[in-house]
Amino acid sequence: MRLIALLFAFAAAQALAHNPSDSYLGLVVDGPSIEGQWDIALRDLEVVVGLDANGNGEISWGEVRASHAAIASYALARLTLRSGASACPARVTGLLVDEHGDGTFAVLRFVATCPDSVTKLDVDYTLLFDVDPQHRGLLRLEHAGATRTAIFSPERSRQSFELAQPSRWQQFLDYGREGVWHIWIGFDHILFLLSLLLPAVLRRTNGRWEPVEAFSPAFWNVFGIVTAFTVAHSITLSLATLGAVALPSRLVEPAIALSVVLAALNNLRPMFYARRWVVAFLFGLVHGLGFANVLKELGLPQGALALALVGFNLGVEAGQLVIVGAFLPVAFLLRGTAFYRQVVFFGGSALIVLVAGIWLVERSLDVQLAIFAAATRPTVGSYDNMRDMLVIASAVRTAKSSFRGSPLCSCGTSSSTPSTRWPHCAVSRHRQHGTYYALRWYTTRSTLSRTGT
């Protein structure tokens, strides 16, 4: 019982810090040349480099630009590219700023040159691992029209890639791993699933929750819920990835948070107990759009589009089944105890409502509640005051470039026009509609006091 309580406490703590620390590394290999783009979250760079030079709690483009050398030095010192036994030294060619669904990122563009044509690439990635063991580096490697993906972690910081045409099976496995990883770090998806699973071992009788008598009804209840959720998010994941459906993340992310709130509230005040699979299906359509945003960040190999899509989707299902397989037997064993009904079911549902409600406010208003800001940042040294990072409150994503999109702000590019609102920031021109967009930068400030060693 204590283990279950600790797991819920851990999940809540992690959920409050639901935006994981990720960076996006794109490499395109062409003969001996490697062209790279590395998107690193500004919230992470503030911790390790320090971007807010004047200490006013706001980060301007001028401050990011002034830290160009420090950002480049820090990042490239933690990325080593080798072709066989030979190093491929890299040099930065540009610094930009772009927006992802999980925040604002510095974009380093660089070029690495190897002595000979690359046939096997060794990548050693150690960014942020010394200060945040939960950080992950998401790699997209392109060569001769083929695309590979990989995830770097402290346990797998050095990986090798044969640049011969990857087999379709290898591409399938690569995207399958990405799907598993996404569901395991997607705390909003996990909490939605748990909200539907919590009452699976109970039945509603005369207005009260009572334990089911056998495992079979609980199993088939879960089977219907998981199947409905799977079918629904598979539909919208496929449609959104293929471009048939497009909704901005500023609408999708609050809708996902709202789905978690409603699913957990239904446990506290049942409104649709008998047809929870319908709820799983309807909200699963929304969650599929969230999965699609992640898959778009990774990029899809045009020569194996369907295979990569199926691999990612099955990876999501595999990660989901692990969660169900770990939860259901334990829940069934504890179903008749007051601990399960009062602490796990009611207490867990109330906690999920609280956490998801915070997400809903933050995502809808594009702010971060200061009282929870400390939970979302790693602690380094003895910072007395740690500024919460800037949030893009009003920006329109520009047209896609060769990597993942034309950054919103760039420095010294002839194709950009200076913004009258932000004279130090050049705003990229939207290639399709020919309009210019200004950025509004909002920040919240949080105070993080640390005692002891």
Side-chain angles (χ1 to χ4, degrees), residues 80-371:
T80 302
L81 304 176
R82 303 183 69 88
S83 175
S86 302
C88 304
R91 60 179 179 85
V92 173
T93 59
L95 173 66
L96 310 103
V97 173
D98 199 5
E99 182 192 5
H100 289 241
D102 55 349
T104 309
F105 284 62
V107 179
L108 280 179
R109 286 184 173 171
F110 62 91
V111 173
T113 304
C114 304
D116 301 300
S117 292
V118 181
T119 57
K120 179 182 179 182
L121 181 64
D122 297 321
V123 182
D124 192 351
Y125 178 110
T126 59
L127 184 79
L128 292 167
F129 290 157
D130 55 337
V131 298
D132 185 4
Q134 299 303 314
H135 174 79
R136 296 295 182 266
L138 307 182
L139 171 69
R140 182 171 187 258
L141 175 62
E142 296 181 30
H143 172 68
T147 301
R148 297 279 303 276
T149 63
I151 301 173
F152 290 97
S153 65
E155 297 76 25
R156 299 193 65 199
S157 62
R158 181 175 299 175
Q159 299 185 42
S160 297
F161 303 92
E162 296 286 349
L163 295 188
Q165 184 74 16
S167 67
R168 290 183 176 271
W169 174 246
Q170 183 61 54
Q171 289 182 309
F172 177 83
L173 291 180
D174 285 345
Y175 280 88
R177 282 196 299 268
E178 297 286 357
V180 172
W181 168 247
H182 177 67
I183 194 67
W184 284 354
I185 66 170
F187 293 107
D188 42 10
H189 305 301
I190 291 176
L191 291 189
F192 176 75
L193 188 60
L194 286 178
S195 297
L196 297 176
L197 293 179
L198 282 170
V201 295
L202 303 173
R203 55 187 173 87
R204 191 78 174 166
T205 304
N206 298 324
R208 297 182 59 185
W209 291 104
E210 300 290 344
V212 296
E213 297 178 355
F215 184 77
S216 179
F219 173 82
W220 289 112
N221 191 352
V222 170
F223 179 82
I225 291 170
V226 172
T227 300
F229 185 63
T230 297
V231 171
H233 74 63
S234 298
I235 292 172
T236 47
L237 170 61
S238 301
L239 291 177
T241 302
L242 298 176
V245 175
L247 285 177
S249 61
R250 68 178 181 274
L251 298 180
V252 173
E253 294 304 318
I256 290 175
L258 178 62
S259 73
V260 180
V261 171
L262 294 178
L265 275 177
N266 188 57
N267 295 339
L268 302 176
R269 297 183 62 86
M271 295 172 285
F272 33 76
Y273 168 73
R275 296 184 177 272
R276 285 183 299 119
W277 67 269
V278 176
V279 177
F281 181 86
L282 293 177
F283 286 134
L285 296 173
V286 179
H287 284 249
L289 297 174
F291 293 144
N293 287 336
V294 175
L295 194 53
K296 288 177 181 178
E297 294 281 1
L298 292 171
L300 285 170
Q302 295 304 309
L305 186 64
L307 194 68
L309 182 59
V310 171
F312 183 85
N313 203 25
L314 290 180
V316 169
E317 307 320 319
Q320 184 175 279
L321 288 177
V322 170
I323 296 170
V324 173
F327 174 83
L328 186 59
V330 177
F332 181 76
L333 291 175
L334 298 177
R335 71 193 188 285
T337 65
F339 171 79
Y340 184 83
R341 291 195 299 273
Q342 299 300 322
V343 178
V344 177
F345 181 68
F346 287 109
S349 297
L351 187 60
I352 291 173
V353 170
L354 173 64
V355 172
I358 293 169
W359 293 344
L360 180 59
V361 172
E362 291 182 338
R363 297 178 185 185
S364 299
L365 302 180
D366 226 349
V367 298
Q368 183 171 18
L369 300 182
I371 57 174

Side-chain angles (χ1 to χ4, degrees), residues 2 26 33 61 133 142 165 183 191 226 354 377 384 415 417:
R2 291 181 179 178
S33 177
W61 167 243
E142 296 181 30
Q165 184 74 16
I183 194 67
L191 291 189
V226 172
L354 173 64
R377 301 291 178 265
D384 293 322
S415 62
T417 299

